[in-house]
Amino acid sequence: GAGVSQSPSNKVTEKGKDVELRCDPISGHTALYWYRQSLGQGLEFLIYFQGNSAPDKSGLPSDRFSAERTGGSVSTLTIQRTQQEDSAVYLCASSLARSAAYGELFFGEGSRLTVL
Amino acid sequence: QKEVEQNSGPLSVPEGAIASLNCTYSDRGSQSFFWYRQYSGKSPELIMFIYSNGDKEDGRFTAQLNKASQYVSLLIRDSQPSDSATYLCAVNIGGDMRFGAGTRLTVKP
């Protein structure tokens, strides 16, 4: 596709369940980011992948959160034992620039997670 | 100190006025700076980027960067109601793109 694709667009789950959120970046984009946005808040950085380098996981809020990127393309964000405070929109973005310092981000439509 | 700081607003200006949005950042090594616009319920979209000190103009938008003061701003001239949105400042810090909390702008007809 032409843009960043995320799925599911909406996910309602019960507290304690695990969820997986998927991101398919723009073809050829080497950098991939995950952010979390709570209602009325800014973007909270979660994790950043650049090419084949080790990801920057410094933004992951707890060890219940993990992410992987297979083959340098599709990424999956996994939240284990979900809590109500995990409810938010999870945004994925990708960037073409190999020199990541100058990358412009293109965002997907987000996955809205609601934990009951 | 947060890495990227913005006034959360809301900022309200009349139609046709100049809207001024401000952002400061903490990392002197930051190399690139971005302004994103986010309409309610939508994803952020890039408006402008700036790498060098000074002003950069694109239509009704002007980005200003002062690295010595660690300050970046966005001016919107001839503001329109369609400019009403949240404006996010983003700073690339060693490859990580960090965002401010955003400033909510309302342009009143």
Side-chain angles (χ1 to χ4, degrees), chain B:
Chain B
Q1 182 184 8
K2 293 183 179 178
E3 293 169 311
V4 182
E5 294 206 52
Q6 297 180 251
N7 290 329
S8 61
L11 173 65
S12 181
V13 300
E15 184 174 357
I18 296 175
S20 178
L21 306 163
N22 304 315
C23 173
T24 58
Y25 59 95
S26 61
D27 190 329
R28 287 193 171 274
S30 303
Q31 298 172 280
S32 52
F33 309 86
F34 304 80
W35 283 100
Y36 285 79
R37 177 176 62 199
Q38 186 176 26
Y39 291 114
S40 180
K42 299 295 185 181
S43 295
E45 56 181 350
L46 181 69
I47 299 175
M48 291 193 70
F49 58 88
I50 186 166
Y51 304 149
S52 304
N53 277 328
D55 294 359
K56 179 181 178 182
E57 186 174 319
D58 183 1
R60 296 186 296 111
F61 298 94
T62 299
Q64 299 174 316
L65 175 62
N66 184 325
K67 289 186 178 181
S69 299
Q70 296 174 245
Y71 175 92
V72 59
S73 66
L74 179 70
L75 300 178
I76 306 174
R77 293 182 300 282
D78 187 24
S79 296
Q80 302 297 308
S82 59
D83 294 327
S84 298
T86 296
Y87 290 80
L88 299 162
C89 172
V91 176
N92 196 306
I93 302 173
D96 289 357
M97 192 77 81
R98 302 301 175 108
F99 285 78
T103 299
R104 183 181 302 175
L105 171 66
T106 300
V107 180
K108 295 185 176 180

Side-chain angles (χ1 to χ4, degrees), chain A residues 1-59:
Chain A
V4 177
S5 178
Q6 291 188 245
S7 61
S9 55
N10 279 286
K11 176 70 175 180
V12 180
T13 190
E14 293 179 347
K15 178 181 174 181
K17 299 286 189 181
D18 296 352
V19 297
E20 285 190 351
L21 307 176
R22 174 190 168 101
C23 174
D24 196 347
I26 294 172
S27 179
H29 280 199
T30 58
L32 187 148
Y33 299 77
W34 282 99
Y35 293 90
R36 177 169 71 176
Q37 188 172 36
S38 300
L39 187 63
Q41 302 299 309
L43 273 66
E44 176 188 3
F45 168 78
L46 297 177
I47 190 168
Y48 159 58
F49 297 89
Q50 173 61 40
N52 295 320
S53 302
D56 177 353
K57 304 180 180 180
S58 60

